[in-house]
Amino acid sequence: MANAAGTIILNDGWTAATSEDADLTVGLKVPGDVHSALLAAGKVEDPYWRDNETLTDWVHRSVWTAKRSFNLDRVEDGHFTLRFESIDCLAEVRVNGAPAGQSESQFLRYDFDVTDLLREGENVIEVVFLSNSLAAERRAENSDFPMPYSKNSRIGHLNFLRKTQCHGGWDWGIALCPLGFYGDIAVVRTASIRLDDVAIRQRHEDGAVELDVTLHAFAFAPAVDEATVEIDGHKATATLHAFPGENRVTVTARVENPRLWWPFGHGEQAFYELSVSLGGETRDFRIGLRDVELLTDADEIGNRFAFKVNGREIFMKGANWIPGDALPERATPDQVRDLLQSAVDANMNMIRIWGGGQYEADWFYELCDELGLMIWHDFMFACNLYPAHERHWLDLVRKEARQQLRRLSRFASMALWCGDNELVGALTWYKESLENRDRYLAVYDRLNHALEEAVEDEDLGLPFRPSSPSVGRLDFGDGWHVDTSGDMHFWDVWHSAKDFEHYRSVRPRFCSEFGFQSFPSMRVIESFTAEEDRNVSSTVMDVHQRNEGGNSRIVETIARYFRFPDRFEDMVYLSQVGQGLAMKTAIEFWRSNRPRTMGTLFWQLNDTWPVASWSSLEYGGGWKATQYLARRFLPI
């Protein structure tokens, strides 16, 4: 995307300091996080090494101030906006010592009007990061009633924050609770109109595609301007009569006889250049033209769950995606490209961006477009109960949903929006919700309804599912064990220690989660252990296994299917063979049930740190046995 002519990128030159230690100041990269900055400066030990994790807890419990200065030649003309693509997450922003605004969500872009705060010459920006973990604790204490959080989270109560939920830990994840900037920082100079969001809806009909391009703009004063869209040599316009505040205008452009974008294995990934302009700002995008439907019509079994792309029903093959690294700075485009390329190399055509993670940067979705990887996208809610009874929190969610829906509408890879991961199931996991299900179900419905309304109001043409797993809209029953309608999460083989043949006991319409654990390779194990740690029952190996009883289950499975190994190295290898056989058993059987079953997304593709887990790609991107086997059990 091209930068506006009046944009000054402010990614360089930041420092971070804590009031806890007057002598501690480090350089802070943007995008980047404070933990990575401290690690680069030698101020903390590697949290991934052995059992170092808790040694960095002081970082997330401290207040940090990020700071940089920049120069302006003149400030008399136009309006100036200080834009942050992503701040994690609770922070106060100051310009030249004066308050400019507050951040309350990692998942919102913030646009602060700083016209009256800037001056000619040097200007100073300060961002004071409050302690996310301490603030979450205070919010939980002040809640009208308890809102339990996942037992997998070592750092608790992050359900009260709009922040990556697995930053507090998960049953595969380290708990670091990082903070920082995860996108560009810029000062944007505009006239009376500032272009904020561009949302694109595709309508495929009669051998052509009509693009409804909606430009969302903020007006500082009444103004009239022309919105322009150019694609495939054609230009379309519409006039915006703007009043102070938020405005929108839709321009419709038509592409005749389009070259279509297809998922991997089904055709080419064709693209068009799209240019959008308003108020002196121009943005250029590369978009793919495709039509996506989710078929849920009734049949003799129950209800279908099948994706139809460009008029063709496609069996979806893939895995679940979690954040690229527990230290956000390390999840670079090159590192993530390697992981996504591995998915395609194993013949996958879909990933599911899981609701306990994050909305990714634009470049992530551009990679998926390029590779032909379709995306099932959860909104960012997973496995907890959430404080949707609090109006302010729910209003943040409403803004988040609309902003993300608009931002991601241009990507051909987007196939589905899903309200959450396992929140209906979570109503049965906690003492409070078991004792008063009506209350917590009502609170959940507020959240789910807000997301559904956002999807309907934005009307961008993608299907929506309320939850995963889910039998369907307004069905709050047990979708986990229903294989006649909706999507299914099937965990009996792993969590109930059943044999691999048990996968054949169900025939889901679409299985969006299932998995089996293994150890990472010896190369990865050696990266986080000392020699004395390399024993399946060592303390360090337990620290790098976040699922209770996980290592024992891996060993029991080896004993069930193989001659018990003499060496630790052989146990590591056999754990991966066992994992691969489990996935092969499930996927080959469910593929054989097509068209009853029309998709399998196993848990999980990648790891955020070196750990024993359900991943097919170990930390660093190395292929486990499952990934090699997937080339055969996920044929093109």
Side-chain angles (χ1 to χ4, degrees), residues 157-184:
H157 305 296
L158 295 191
N159 50 338
F160 280 85
L161 302 182
R162 294 313 298 140
K163 171 180 174 59
T164 300
Q165 298 295 274
C166 66
H167 281 175
W170 218 261
D171 57 2
W172 38 260
I174 191 172
L176 297 178
C177 203
L179 63 150
F181 303 115
Y182 303 157
D184 288 342

Side-chain angles (χ1 to χ4, degrees), residues 400-442:
E400 163 194 323
R402 283 165 169 74
Q403 201 177 96
Q404 296 295 343
L405 284 163
R406 296 168 188 172
R407 179 176 74 96
L408 301 185
S409 64
R410 68 180 172 95
F411 296 105
S413 49
M414 290 292 295
L416 173 74
W417 279 104
C418 179
D420 63 72
N421 174 80
E422 300 183 350
L423 261 59
V424 176
L427 293 169
T428 69
W429 299 346
Y430 303 104
K431 175 177 178 289
E432 293 85 350
S433 53
L434 284 170
E435 291 178 349
N436 193 346
R437 189 175 195 268
D438 289 353
R439 164 185 278 177
Y440 290 93
L441 178 58

Side-chain angles (χ1 to χ4, degrees), residues 50-207:
R50 302 192 77 206
D51 55 356
N52 278 355
E53 174 183 350
T54 57
L55 298 181
T56 63
D57 279 351
W58 66 273
V59 178
H60 68 75
R61 299 183 78 82
S62 300
V63 174
W64 292 85
T65 300
K67 184 177 181 180
R68 73 150 287 169
S69 61
F70 70 101
N71 290 303
L72 277 179
D73 293 335
R74 56 193 178 91
V75 295
E76 68 272 16
D77 297 327
H79 298 269
F80 291 86
T81 299
L82 178 57
R83 174 170 290 169
F84 295 87
E85 287 188 357
S86 176
I87 303 176
D88 187 8
C89 89
L90 301 178
E92 299 169 353
V93 179
R94 302 171 186 161
V95 174
N96 296 325
Q102 294 180 322
S103 164
E104 296 183 90
S105 172
Q106 176 190 335
F107 304 136
L108 278 175
R109 182 195 68 248
Y110 280 95
D111 295 314
F112 300 121
D113 182 1
V114 293
T115 306
D116 296 333
L117 302 180
L118 296 177
R119 59 199 178 202
E120 291 185 4
E122 185 181 58
N123 292 268
V124 179
I125 303 172
E126 294 176 289
V127 180
V128 180
F129 289 94
L130 309 179
S131 169
N132 292 323
S133 55
L134 293 181
E137 290 176 9
R138 287 193 296 269
R139 292 184 180 191
E141 291 171 0
N142 293 329
S143 176
D144 290 340
F145 45 85
M147 300 303 297
Y149 62 89
S150 172
K151 66 179 181 180
N152 296 318
S153 301
R154 182 177 69 84
I155 300 170
H157 305 296
L158 295 191
N159 50 338
F160 280 85
L161 302 182
R162 294 313 298 140
K163 171 180 174 59
T164 300
Q165 298 295 274
C166 66
H167 281 175
W170 218 261
D171 57 2
W172 38 260
I174 191 172
L176 297 178
C177 203
L179 63 150
F181 303 115
Y182 303 157
D184 288 342
I185 303 171
V187 167
V188 182
R189 181 181 176 183
T190 59
S192 296
I193 295 175
R194 182 187 70 212
L195 178 58
D196 287 343
D197 296 301
V198 177
I200 302 172
R201 172 167 185 162
Q202 301 185 21
R203 291 183 285 116
H204 292 242
E205 53 190 27
D206 301 327

